[in-house]
Amino acid sequence: MAHLYFKYGTMNSGKSIEIIKVAHNYEEQGKRVLLFTPAIDTRIGENIVGSRTGLTRPAIPVKADTDLFELVRSEQSGEGQRISCVLVDEAQFLNKRQVLELTWIVDELDIPVMAFGLKNDFRNELFEGSYNLLVNADKIEEIKTICWHCDRKATMVVRSVNGVPVSEGDQIMIGGNDDYKPVCRSCYRKTFQGGL
Ligand SMILES: [Zn+2]
């Protein structure tokens, strides 16, 4: 029986390299995977999954009106090879309907789906995709990384704009002069209380 997996981690926890590894493992055995990435993430290119280690691979771009279930169903019923797994990068950017479509891929088509993404944003609010994945996933797994400032586990992210940390603003800001650091809860608090 197929499952819906949500593998979440903060920035720079190695989600993209993990997804590329999973795809490689399937394909090494001659199995077919479909890899999706929301078109909203333009850091590298909207149809490429890339990790900071330099590994990249092409992906199918997902727009807000993309019907993931229909797309996978038509691929599965076509003349091509059977699909063994569906992978989603940056799954926090999916909308609620698309997360439900992932559950139908699992339940109706019996294809496992692994969604990778951030859980909380820089304001410590859940992304729409992450909220709905936490509600709907069969298996939830954390991909861990270390705080930028200390040796604790990072569970949050600090956004800096022009080098200044901010805790308010739009959830999604593409192409701005901003950067993100993974931090633990304690260092997140100190960042905005002057302790760091
Ligand atoms: Zn810390």
Side-chain angles (χ1 to χ4, degrees):
M1 196 176 66
H3 292 300
L4 172 59
Y5 299 81
F6 180 37
K7 302 194 180 218
Y8 71 88
T10 186
M11 302 296 289
N12 303 348
S13 59
K15 295 185 296 297
S16 293
I17 196 166
E18 177 74 17
I19 205 168
I20 290 170
K21 193 180 85 181
V22 170
H24 176 77
N25 289 347
Y26 273 95
E27 288 168 350
E28 202 174 30
Q29 298 179 17
K31 293 171 180 159
R32 183 182 178 203
V33 299
L34 289 185
L35 172 52
F36 293 104
T37 189
I40 199 167
D41 184 35
T42 56
R43 284 177 310 175
I44 294 174
E46 66 179 31
N47 53 1
I48 290 174
V49 170
S51 82
R52 289 162 302 120
T53 59
L55 279 176
T56 61
R57 62 166 288 146
I60 303 164
V62 175
K63 300 200 167 71
D65 61 355
T66 301
D67 185 332
L68 293 167
F69 177 75
E70 225 15 79
L71 215 157
V72 173
R73 197 181 62 86
S74 67
E75 282 290 328
Q76 185 75 318
S77 59
E79 292 182 355
Q81 191 187 353
R82 196 178 67 85
I83 297 157
S84 293
C85 185
V86 170
L87 300 169
V88 187
D89 192 34
E90 306 284 359
Q92 71 272 12
F93 293 135
L94 298 180
N95 57 44
K96 180 178 183 179
R97 181 182 49 77
Q98 289 169 327
V99 172
L100 290 176
E101 287 162 9
L102 296 182
T103 69
W104 303 336
I105 292 168
V106 171
D107 297 340
E108 305 297 324
L109 306 178
D110 201 28
I111 300 172
V113 175
M114 291 188 199
F116 293 72
L118 298 168
K119 180 164 57 70
N120 33 300
D121 67 12
F122 70 101
R123 304 167 303 186
N124 282 328
E125 290 171 18
L126 292 171
F127 287 90
E128 180 177 354
S130 315
Y131 175 96
N132 289 287
L133 280 160
L134 288 168
V135 169
N136 286 288
D138 300 297
K139 295 181 190 282
I140 297 168
E141 187 181 304
E142 184 177 27
I143 299 174
K144 299 181 181 72
T145 193
I146 303 296
C147 173
W148 189 270
H149 302 288
C150 71
D151 290 332
R152 293 192 187 94
K153 184 179 77 174
T155 56
M156 299 178 176
V157 61
V158 171
R159 174 195 277 175
S160 294
V161 179
N162 298 316
V164 180
V166 295
S167 60
E168 293 173 4
D170 291 340
Q171 187 173 58
I172 299 166
M173 190 163 61
I174 301 290
N177 186 19
D178 54 343
D179 68 83
Y180 297 85
K181 287 187 173 65
V183 296
C184 71
R185 184 180 58 223
S186 172
C187 290
Y188 182 91
R189 182 170 49 83
K190 287 178 193 161
T191 296
F192 297 103
Q193 292 185 349
L196 273 179

